[in-house]
Amino acid sequence: MFNSDPSSKIVNAKLPKAVMMMIEKNNLVMAIKTLAEDENISMDDAKDRIDAYETALKVKQQQKLTTIANKQGIPNEAISFDRAPTAEPPQPLVKNRVKTTEQSQGFKRLQAGVDSQLNDLGYKKPLLPFWLKRLLVIAVVMIGLFFILRSVFG
């Protein structure tokens, strides 16, 4: 039950706020030096404490991220801090064009879904779109002004 290892006491001790800020900013060397000087301990002990704090911080961040992902319905497999870079070269632009086609198909599918939803609600599309009505009003006003000005000055 009781851990008689003296290094465990060092690892479990709380870090100063300035050192924690250095760790969060990834300034680990300076954090180790500062911790060793402030608490008069060896660099190895300071490194052990900082490593333990950094590990706990990463675990805490991953738990928060997992909680948020679960609330949004994202599977846990989609989130990982331990991703290794892929060995695949970047895809050429030609393949990106295929993705654009898939996106346009996705947009058409979305548009069809919206139309079916509106039909279910009983919404009827207007005969003329709003922008066309606006253009017709502008054209009628301009023609009216033309005839008025022509009769006044002509």
Side-chain angles (χ1 to χ4, degrees), residues 111-112 114-116 118-119 122-129 133:
Q111 196 172 19
V114 169
D115 286 342
S116 69
L118 289 174
N119 288 338
Y123 177 78
K124 294 182 181 177
K125 288 185 180 180
L127 186 59
L128 295 175
K133 289 179 188 176

Side-chain angles (χ1 to χ4, degrees):
M1 282 226 167
F2 293 103
N3 199 352
S4 61
D5 184 20
S7 66
S8 67
K9 294 177 186 175
I10 294 173
V11 171
N12 292 332
K14 189 172 179 178
L15 296 175
K17 199 148 195 108
V19 174
M20 288 192 288
M21 288 175 61
M22 287 180 205
I23 294 169
E24 290 169 4
K25 292 181 180 179
N26 263 347
N27 196 352
L28 299 177
V29 175
M30 200 60 195
I32 292 171
K33 286 182 181 179
T34 305
L35 184 62
E37 288 174 5
D38 287 352
E39 299 194 0
N40 201 19
I41 57 176
S42 71
M43 294 280 223
D44 290 332
D45 291 340
K47 183 184 178 306
D48 290 340
R49 284 182 58 189
I50 288 174
D51 286 345
Y53 175 77
E54 195 175 16
T55 304
L57 186 65
K58 285 182 180 179
V59 167
K60 190 176 179 183
Q61 287 174 344
Q62 191 166 11
Q63 286 174 346
K64 285 182 182 178
L65 188 63
T66 304
T67 303
I68 292 170
N70 287 339
K71 287 180 182 177
Q72 294 180 353
I74 300 171
N76 289 340
E77 295 82 29
I79 303 166
S80 175
F81 283 111
D82 301 328
R83 287 193 178 150
T86 57
E88 299 177 14
Q91 296 179 352
L93 292 176
V94 175
K95 290 188 178 185
N96 287 340
R97 289 186 186 146
V98 173
K99 289 181 181 178
T100 306
T101 305
E102 291 173 4
Q103 289 176 351
S104 65
Q105 288 175 354
F107 179 73
K108 287 179 183 177
R109 208 174 318 135
L110 175 67
Q111 196 172 19
V114 169
D115 286 342
S116 69
Q117 195 76 337
L118 289 174
N119 288 338
D120 291 344
L121 294 173
Y123 177 78
K124 294 182 181 177
K125 288 185 180 180
L127 186 59
L128 295 175
F130 183 74
W131 62 271
L132 188 59
K133 289 179 188 176
R134 188 172 275 179
L135 284 177
L136 285 174
V137 168
I138 292 172
V140 168
V141 168
M142 289 180 69
I143 292 171
L145 283 174
F146 172 74
F147 283 116
I148 292 172
L149 290 174
R150 191 175 117 193
S151 65
V152 170
F153 293 110

